[in-house]
Amino acid sequence: MRRIILLGYMGSGKTTMGKALSDAVGLPFYDLDWYIETRMRTTVAKIFAEKGEEKFRTIERNMLHEVAEFENVIISCGGGTPCFFDNMEYLNGQGDTVYLKATADVLHNHLLMTRVERPLLAGKTEDERRCFIAEQLRQRETFYCKAHHIFEVQLLDTKQRIKTAVEELREKLRI
């Protein structure tokens, strides 16, 4: 039985790497945010807007405890998941945790490439986003660094770069 749990700041490549790793090793992939949206029949952005971050984090924790019980899976967590409640300790007890570590610049570039609405970045200018990302990353890094493995992520802007990163991650995890 194997669980590989990807964590890191938003835009670190958790979903991109999770899908590609899933394809490479043949394990099902679950994105925690997508799982929440399916179970709650609404978007994460709407939960944030209507119920606030505190209520979202409680929902997230409950859904995490569901999905982290699945066997032989790859799971990507939301960027804040490891930073609330006892989530990081719980994740470390459930499987191989991997911190996808990226610089603030790489994160910002990844976030510019995606079309996903990020509630925590809504309404911010580009300079405000850069500062916000750098500050939050600094605050969250202590949680992320508790992962079993730290994997340095470079810009994942081509299929070849994603493929190369997945191959390196597979070597690191010996899968």
Side-chain angles (χ1 to χ4, degrees):
M1 191 270 311
R2 184 117 200 215
R3 289 185 197 103
I4 299 167
I5 304 163
L6 305 177
L7 52 102
Y9 196 73
M10 65 178 150
S12 63
K14 299 179 300 286
T15 300
T16 299
M17 292 285 290
K19 285 180 188 177
L21 184 61
S22 170
D23 290 343
V25 300
L27 293 176
F29 171 68
Y30 290 89
D31 179 289
L32 182 59
D33 284 347
W34 295 349
Y35 186 80
I36 291 167
E37 290 180 350
T38 301
R39 293 274 283 112
M40 300 303 294
R41 297 189 176 128
T42 190
T43 65
V44 168
K46 280 189 179 180
I47 297 169
F48 257 84
E50 294 171 3
K51 299 182 185 225
E53 185 176 10
E54 186 175 333
K55 180 65 175 168
F56 169 75
R57 295 300 177 191
T58 300
I59 292 167
E60 178 183 55
R61 181 176 188 258
N62 293 336
M63 298 296 108
L64 172 65
H65 280 254
E66 284 183 24
V67 79
E69 294 294 323
F70 298 167
E71 296 183 359
N72 298 312
V73 295
I74 298 167
I75 301 166
S76 70
C77 296
T81 306
C83 310
F84 293 87
F85 306 106
D86 62 346
N87 290 349
M88 192 63 231
E89 290 76 16
Y90 175 74
L91 289 166
N92 277 334
Q94 292 302 107
D96 288 324
T97 52
V98 181
Y99 168 30
L100 299 183
K101 184 176 182 170
T103 65
D105 283 337
V106 168
L107 296 169
H108 186 262
N109 287 329
H110 282 174
L111 291 166
L112 287 175
M113 290 188 297
T114 183
R115 292 187 174 101
V116 176
E117 183 182 333
R118 309 290 180 151
L120 292 175
L121 298 178
K124 290 181 173 43
T125 67
E126 186 170 339
D127 285 342
E128 289 170 336
R129 282 193 309 266
R130 282 183 188 278
C131 290
F132 182 83
I133 290 166
E135 178 59 23
Q136 263 210 328
L137 182 59
R138 188 188 63 72
Q139 292 171 3
R140 292 179 174 188
E141 190 118 54
T142 57
F143 295 98
Y144 297 154
C145 285
K146 292 179 183 178
H148 297 131
H149 308 277
I150 297 175
F151 184 78
E152 299 280 339
V153 174
Q154 304 304 315
L155 194 60
L156 299 171
D157 60 346
T158 67
K159 288 181 182 180
Q160 185 55 50
R161 285 184 179 180
I162 295 165
K163 181 180 177 185
T164 300
V166 167
E167 289 169 4
E168 291 171 3
L169 182 56
R170 286 183 71 183
E171 281 181 31
K172 186 173 195 73
L173 297 175
R174 297 187 182 118
I175 55 171

